[in-house]
Amino acid sequence: MMEQLLASPPSWLNFLLMIVFSAVLLVIVLGFVTYAILAERKVIGYMQGRIGPNRTGGKLGLLQTAADVLKLLIKEDTIPHKADRPLFIIAPVIAFVPSFLILAVIPFTDKLYFSDIGVGLLYYIAISGLSTLGIMAGAWASNNKYALIGGMRAVAQMISYEIPLVMSVIGVILISGSLNLNTIVETQANHFWFILLQPIAFLVFVVAAVAELNRTPFDLAEAESELVSGYHVEYSGFRFAIFMLAEYVYMFAMAALITVLFLGGWHPPFPELLPFLTYIPGALWFALKFSFMIFFFIWLRATLPRLRADHLMEMGWKVLLPIALLNIFVTAIIKELFFK
């Protein structure tokens, strides 16, 4: 009986397994977010010569972020009197759900992934753009001019930088010949990592990714010195926590995508020249590359000042987009001449 269930599981069992796996992934993501915030505080504190959290949870302050989460959960949930109540309530969910859905197509190793679809990269780009709706909905529903300005900035910024971000990966698609993320990783195993074959695309993608994440130096949507915390200024408690959760989950997903597209995924560097590196598990290689990208995002936040709004838009349209288009043109010519 058990063998028959395993051979052809009924639909209800598939649905149950999907719910269980999703719950496990959500717990892992929440754990990551909790300690990513702590890591960010510690790294920025070290780089700027300040003491990071060191009270709650012993000398290392390991429970400080957990205490902050608890504080947000029990904090009073306020809704402005003249806000659009239904939209105000659902906006954080609209912002968070896409950030969780895109994790379904990220391959962490050749065995560890949730879905292997032929257009995984296209799925990622399409779903990730939906969070813009949640940000704008929350800003507009708040009935607050500062929130609305922050929401409009966020939409303009995310749409502007979405274009060079998508254009930058076309060179990767041309070389690998696929939109499947597993295939892109395996192409790098047989050749060089795409950070070496597509260095310009890598730089454009990383800059556009930081802008997509609304992180320093592109955090114009939250410019507290101008907008009093920006698009989520009217949010408190649990709903504010969901907005912050969405930001960190997107950072998780973007670091994983950069690892897959440009850093060889779970494969070691130069396996033919350094064969002993192949004995290290693929999951560990992925974790090391992923952690480096997370550290890089934190490093940027600790060192770079915020850009001016006009400079931010000019960089997207006048610098990154032409460079990305030129990279596509050069990559297509090289492939046609030398890699038929």
Side-chain angles (χ1 to χ4, degrees), residues 131-142:
S131 64
T132 309
L133 298 174
I135 291 175
M136 191 61 203
W140 184 84
S142 298

Side-chain angles (χ1 to χ4, degrees), residues 38-320:
L38 178 65
E40 186 162 25
R41 288 172 166 177
K42 289 284 190 181
V43 171
I44 293 177
Y46 175 77
M47 288 184 172
Q48 297 180 348
R50 298 179 290 109
I51 298 176
N54 63 350
R55 291 290 186 268
T56 308
K59 293 183 179 180
L60 297 177
L62 295 178
L63 297 179
Q64 184 60 55
T65 311
D68 292 341
V69 171
L70 179 62
K71 178 189 72 174
L72 285 173
L73 294 179
I74 63 177
K75 194 174 182 180
E76 181 183 3
D77 181 24
T78 60
I79 299 178
H81 177 64
K82 294 186 178 181
D84 186 326
R85 191 179 181 89
L87 196 57
F88 185 89
I89 292 172
I90 200 173
V93 179
I94 298 174
F96 169 72
V97 169
S99 69
F100 187 66
L101 290 177
I102 56 180
L103 298 177
V105 295
I106 298 292
F108 301 102
T109 69
D110 56 341
K111 300 288 194 303
L112 181 58
Y113 54 85
F114 284 86
S115 178
D116 181 19
I117 60 178
V119 290
L121 181 55
L122 182 62
Y123 169 90
Y124 183 105
I125 294 169
I127 297 298
S128 63
L130 296 177
S131 64
T132 309
L133 298 174
I135 291 175
M136 191 61 203
W140 184 84
S142 298
N143 193 31
N144 181 299
K145 293 180 176 62
Y146 293 108
L148 183 59
I149 293 172
M152 293 173 68
R153 278 186 177 183
V155 171
Q157 175 177 320
M158 295 174 78
I159 292 175
S160 298
Y161 280 84
E162 185 83 21
I163 297 172
L165 184 136
V166 173
M167 292 294 181
S168 65
V169 301
I170 292 179
V172 172
I173 297 169
L174 286 173
I175 297 174
S176 63
S178 176
L179 287 166
N180 184 286
L181 294 176
N182 285 285
T183 303
I184 291 173
V185 173
E186 293 305 326
T187 302
Q188 296 174 81
N190 299 327
H191 302 87
F192 292 107
W193 291 357
F194 284 141
I195 190 175
L196 301 176
L197 298 178
Q198 291 281 294
I200 296 175
F202 173 75
L203 293 175
V204 173
F205 189 92
V206 169
V207 173
V210 176
E212 282 280 295
L213 294 171
N214 284 324
R215 290 179 60 85
T216 306
F218 302 105
D219 59 338
L220 271 295
E222 299 179 24
E224 57 279 343
S225 58
E226 311 161 32
L227 302 176
V228 202
S229 190
Y231 62 90
H232 47 54
V233 64
E234 296 289 357
Y235 282 89
S236 65
F238 185 66
R239 293 192 180 91
F240 174 81
I242 294 178
F243 271 121
M244 292 296 97
L245 178 63
E247 177 183 325
Y248 277 91
V249 174
Y250 265 121
M251 185 170 71
F252 176 102
M254 195 61 75
L257 185 64
I258 293 172
T259 301
V260 167
L261 292 180
F262 295 101
L263 302 181
W266 55 86
H267 294 292
F270 309 112
E272 296 180 356
L273 296 177
L274 304 170
F276 64 91
L277 295 179
T278 58
Y279 294 103
I280 300 176
L284 182 58
W285 277 117
F286 191 97
L288 289 173
K289 299 171 189 177
F290 168 82
S291 300
F292 171 78
M293 290 309 307
I294 295 293
F295 172 77
F296 178 75
F297 289 144
I298 298 173
W299 188 3
L300 289 182
R301 182 171 182 176
T303 55
L304 294 181
R306 180 180 294 137
L307 290 181
R308 229 168 61 188
D310 57 331
H311 291 170
L312 179 139
M313 300 303 289
E314 285 180 1
M315 178 180 287
W317 290 105
K318 296 183 179 180
V319 179
L320 294 185

